[in-house]
Short mmCIF file of all heavy atoms in Angstrom, two decimals:
data_model
loop_
_atom_site.label_atom_id
_atom_site.label_comp_id
_atom_site.label_asym_id
_atom_site.label_seq_id
_atom_site.Cartn_x
_atom_site.Cartn_y
_atom_site.Cartn_z
N ASP A 321 71.50 112.97 140.87
CA ASP A 321 70.62 113.37 141.96
C ASP A 321 71.20 114.56 142.71
O ASP A 321 72.40 114.62 142.96
CB ASP A 321 70.41 112.21 142.94
CG ASP A 321 69.58 111.09 142.33
OD1 ASP A 321 68.79 111.38 141.41
OD2 ASP A 321 69.74 109.94 142.76
N ALA A 322 70.35 115.48 143.07
CA ALA A 322 70.77 116.65 143.84
C ALA A 322 70.88 116.30 145.31
O ALA A 322 70.17 115.43 145.82
CB ALA A 322 69.77 117.78 143.64
N LEU A 323 71.76 116.98 145.98
CA LEU A 323 71.98 116.81 147.42
C LEU A 323 70.85 117.46 148.20
O LEU A 323 70.42 118.57 147.88
CB LEU A 323 73.31 117.48 147.80
CG LEU A 323 73.69 117.50 149.27
CD1 LEU A 323 74.10 116.10 149.73
CD2 LEU A 323 74.83 118.48 149.50
N ASP A 324 70.38 116.78 149.23
CA ASP A 324 69.44 117.38 150.17
C ASP A 324 70.27 118.36 151.02
O ASP A 324 71.27 117.96 151.63
CB ASP A 324 68.81 116.30 151.05
CG ASP A 324 67.80 116.85 152.03
OD1 ASP A 324 67.90 118.04 152.44
OD2 ASP A 324 66.91 116.08 152.42
N LEU A 325 69.90 119.62 151.07
CA LEU A 325 70.70 120.62 151.79
C LEU A 325 70.87 120.28 153.26
O LEU A 325 71.83 120.72 153.88
CB LEU A 325 70.10 122.01 151.62
CG LEU A 325 70.21 122.61 150.22
CD1 LEU A 325 69.59 123.99 150.17
CD2 LEU A 325 71.65 122.65 149.76
N ASN A 326 69.97 119.49 153.84
CA ASN A 326 70.13 119.06 155.23
C ASN A 326 71.34 118.15 155.40
O ASN A 326 71.85 117.99 156.50
CB ASN A 326 68.87 118.34 155.72
CG ASN A 326 67.70 119.28 155.81
OD1 ASN A 326 67.83 120.43 156.22
ND2 ASN A 326 66.53 118.80 155.41
N ASP A 327 71.81 117.54 154.30
CA ASP A 327 72.96 116.65 154.34
C ASP A 327 74.27 117.37 154.07
O ASP A 327 75.33 116.75 154.06
CB ASP A 327 72.79 115.52 153.31
CG ASP A 327 71.61 114.62 153.63
OD1 ASP A 327 71.24 114.53 154.83
OD2 ASP A 327 71.05 114.02 152.69
N LEU A 328 74.23 118.67 153.87
CA LEU A 328 75.43 119.44 153.55
C LEU A 328 76.36 119.57 154.76
O LEU A 328 77.57 119.62 154.62
CB LEU A 328 75.05 120.82 153.01
CG LEU A 328 76.13 121.63 152.35
CD1 LEU A 328 76.80 120.87 151.22
CD2 LEU A 328 75.55 122.93 151.82
N GLY A 329 75.80 119.62 155.95
CA GLY A 329 76.62 119.68 157.17
C GLY A 329 77.40 120.97 157.30
O GLY A 329 76.88 122.05 157.07
N ASP A 330 78.69 120.83 157.65
CA ASP A 330 79.53 122.00 157.90
C ASP A 330 80.43 122.32 156.71
O ASP A 330 81.61 122.59 156.87
CB ASP A 330 80.35 121.81 159.18
CG ASP A 330 81.21 120.55 159.13
OD1 ASP A 330 81.24 119.87 158.09
OD2 ASP A 330 81.86 120.26 160.14
N ALA A 331 79.87 122.35 155.55
CA ALA A 331 80.62 122.58 154.32
C ALA A 331 81.03 124.04 154.15
O ALA A 331 80.44 124.95 154.73
CB ALA A 331 79.78 122.17 153.12
N VAL A 332 82.06 124.23 153.35
CA VAL A 332 82.47 125.56 152.89
C VAL A 332 81.82 125.75 151.52
O VAL A 332 81.94 124.90 150.64
CB VAL A 332 84.00 125.68 152.78
CG1 VAL A 332 84.40 126.99 152.13
CG2 VAL A 332 84.63 125.53 154.16
N VAL A 333 81.13 126.86 151.37
CA VAL A 333 80.42 127.16 150.12
C VAL A 333 81.07 128.39 149.49
O VAL A 333 81.00 129.49 150.05
CB VAL A 333 78.92 127.41 150.38
CG1 VAL A 333 78.21 127.78 149.09
CG2 VAL A 333 78.28 126.18 151.02
N CYS A 334 81.71 128.20 148.35
CA CYS A 334 82.33 129.30 147.61
C CYS A 334 81.29 129.92 146.69
O CYS A 334 80.59 129.21 145.97
CB CYS A 334 83.52 128.79 146.81
SG CYS A 334 84.84 128.14 147.84
N VAL A 335 81.19 131.25 146.74
CA VAL A 335 80.13 131.97 146.05
C VAL A 335 80.75 132.98 145.09
O VAL A 335 81.62 133.76 145.49
CB VAL A 335 79.23 132.69 147.09
CG1 VAL A 335 78.10 133.42 146.40
CG2 VAL A 335 78.68 131.70 148.11
N PRO A 336 80.26 132.99 143.84
CA PRO A 336 80.77 133.98 142.88
C PRO A 336 80.05 135.32 143.05
O PRO A 336 79.05 135.41 143.74
CB PRO A 336 80.42 133.36 141.53
CG PRO A 336 79.13 132.64 141.81
CD PRO A 336 79.28 132.10 143.23
N GLY A 337 80.56 136.34 142.38
CA GLY A 337 79.89 137.62 142.39
C GLY A 337 80.58 138.62 141.48
O GLY A 337 81.72 138.41 141.07
N LEU A 338 79.87 139.68 141.19
CA LEU A 338 80.43 140.77 140.39
C LEU A 338 81.15 141.76 141.28
O LEU A 338 82.08 142.43 140.85
CB LEU A 338 79.32 141.48 139.61
CG LEU A 338 78.52 140.60 138.65
CD1 LEU A 338 77.37 141.39 138.02
CD2 LEU A 338 79.43 140.03 137.58
#
Side-chain angles (χ1 to χ4, degrees):
D321 290 334
L323 176 72
D324 181 333
L325 290 180
N326 293 321
D327 296 334
L328 193 55
D330 57 4
V332 172
V333 177
C334 297
V335 181
L338 301 175

